[in-house]
Amino acid sequence: MGYLLRCAARNGISIHRLLELAGISDVRMIWAADTPRLALTLGVPVSVLWPMFIERGRFQDDVAHRIGGHMFARVGILRPSHPQICVTCIHHSGYCRAIWDCGVYTVCHIHRTALTDRCGSCGAVIRRYRPAVDVCACGAYFREDPAGTHVRDDAALQIAAMVAERFGEPVDAGDLANEALPWRASLSVDGLCTLVRAFGVCVGAYQRVVSASLLRQRCEFWRAVCARAGARFQQYSNLTERESLAPFIWEAALDRMIWAPVASADHQVASLLMQQIYGRHLGAGGRSKSKMLSQMKLFDGADYG
């Protein structure tokens, strides 16, 4: 959408008019499947446009998304309808970064400032349909929070650096120096983000988590999730009795990661965590002692397209 906003502004028309020229008249999210129509209007090859947009598909009979070459089996990790931005990046580079669509990326690893999903002038949520990349729907240029959003040494920054590293972004090695997950490099981005949610979403012990409610949460919520996840990753690394973490971990997220892994390492890591935190071992038949797990689909293979 950032690319479309730049094209519209450069041609002196609105984003709505640009999409109308491509035969898209309704206000909705633009997906990779729309790029053949957009390519004709913009005069850009489909092969160039397609990777810029989120691709919808299916993985093990569930909805899945792909962005930046990475597949997300847990679509709630992405926030396609609720954009967030780094105000400094917007004004310095003039474009939106694909990594901002990842929900657990809550701090700009370049400028070390918190991302925002609200306009600093009118206070409204930032919309994908707006006058320009750096202009809110209210007409004001995006501006930083006067209270300051600089992040110095924060778990959310470390997690942002982990995600950025997986997206091929240059990352300060110091931001990864205290990272407590030695096997993070083998995880898919989906697996890494799922672990962050599993370790950080619960505020207190034995908290009930409703997946649907997570889709509506703002940046501040996810920064707090990342902060808790970072602290619990460190606890996991230091503890000998890791079962003490069990009340604070979202078990269902680990369950899902075991039986619908994007990469084989996702399954292995989640199984290890399930064993060390909950004392569950996968039997010879590939099932754990969990009743929930025994009822999940165990078929391998992806149907993504």
Side-chain angles (χ1 to χ4, degrees):
M1 289 298 291
Y3 176 74
L4 295 180
L5 286 168
R6 295 200 312 275
C7 288
R10 189 66 178 268
N11 286 278
I13 60 177
S14 69
I15 183 68
H16 299 279
R17 179 56 181 157
L18 177 64
L19 294 176
E20 284 178 358
L21 292 172
I24 303 172
S25 58
D26 51 333
V27 178
R28 61 173 176 80
M29 182 67 190
I30 307 301
W31 305 95
D34 295 307
T35 55
R37 285 189 288 179
L38 291 168
L40 293 173
T41 302
L42 300 174
V44 179
V46 175
S47 59
V48 174
L49 284 178
W50 191 282
M52 296 184 186
F53 295 86
I54 297 177
E55 180 185 354
R56 290 187 295 182
R58 301 194 69 80
F59 179 76
Q60 295 194 4
D61 293 332
D62 285 321
V63 177
H65 291 162
R66 186 187 298 274
I67 185 171
H70 299 283
M71 207 248 292
F72 291 85
R74 265 61 60 177
V75 296
I77 292 171
L78 297 179
R79 42 186 306 155
S81 302
H82 306 283
Q84 57 182 357
I85 64 169
C86 167
V87 176
T88 306
C89 280
I90 281 283
H91 292 306
H92 284 193
S93 67
Y95 63 87
C96 300
R97 309 175 74 87
I99 198 171
W100 294 346
D101 285 328
C102 183
V104 301
Y105 183 86
T106 61
V107 176
C108 176
H109 72 285
I110 300 171
H111 299 107
R112 298 172 180 269
T113 54
L115 269 60
T116 182
D117 52 13
R118 296 263 178 179
C119 172
S121 296
C122 69
V125 294
I126 296 174
R127 302 177 184 175
R128 292 204 180 271
Y129 284 78
R130 52 186 191 262
V133 169
D134 55 351
V135 178
C136 176
C138 73
Y141 284 97
F142 292 124
R143 59 185 178 86
E144 295 182 3
D145 185 346
T149 57
H150 188 75
V151 177
R152 295 185 179 276
D153 183 16
D154 186 85
L157 174 60
Q158 293 184 12
I159 288 171
M162 290 184 224
V163 176
E165 180 189 41
R166 302 309 305 278
F167 269 79
E169 298 260 1
V171 176
D172 186 339
D175 291 335
L176 301 172
N178 297 323
E179 201 273 299
L181 303 177
W183 19 255
R184 67 163 166 80
S186 61
L187 293 169
S188 69
V189 180
D190 176 272
L192 176 60
C193 294
T194 299
L195 275 192
V196 171
R197 298 205 306 170
F199 272 69
V201 76
C202 295
V203 177
Y206 302 108
Q207 180 179 335
R208 178 173 176 265
V209 179
V210 180
S211 298
S213 68
L214 300 180
L215 301 176
R216 301 186 294 272
Q217 299 296 339
R218 293 188 53 197
C219 293
E220 291 84 352
F221 172 86
W222 288 111
R223 271 197 299 278
V225 168
C226 291
R228 287 191 295 270
R232 289 167 186 166
F233 287 154
Q234 197 63 51
Q235 283 182 281
Y236 171 87
S237 177
N238 296 334
L239 287 174
T240 54
E241 296 181 357
R242 290 165 174 159
E243 294 88 348
S244 61
L245 281 173
F248 303 95
I249 307 301
W250 184 17
E251 184 180 0
L254 292 181
D255 285 348
R256 180 64 178 158
M257 191 171 164
I258 289 175
W259 301 118
V262 169
S264 59
D266 297 352
H267 172 90
Q268 295 166 1
V269 169
S271 298
L272 174 66
L273 291 171
M274 191 67 76
Q275 174 185 335
Q276 293 183 339
I277 295 174
Y278 292 98
R280 293 189 184 146
H281 297 261
L282 297 180
R287 297 172 182 266
S288 86
K289 297 177 182 179
S290 169
K291 179 179 180 181
M292 177 182 177
L293 294 181
S294 68
Q295 295 176 342
M296 294 186 72
K297 298 173 184 177
L298 309 181
F299 297 103
D300 289 327
D303 176 17
Y304 191 90

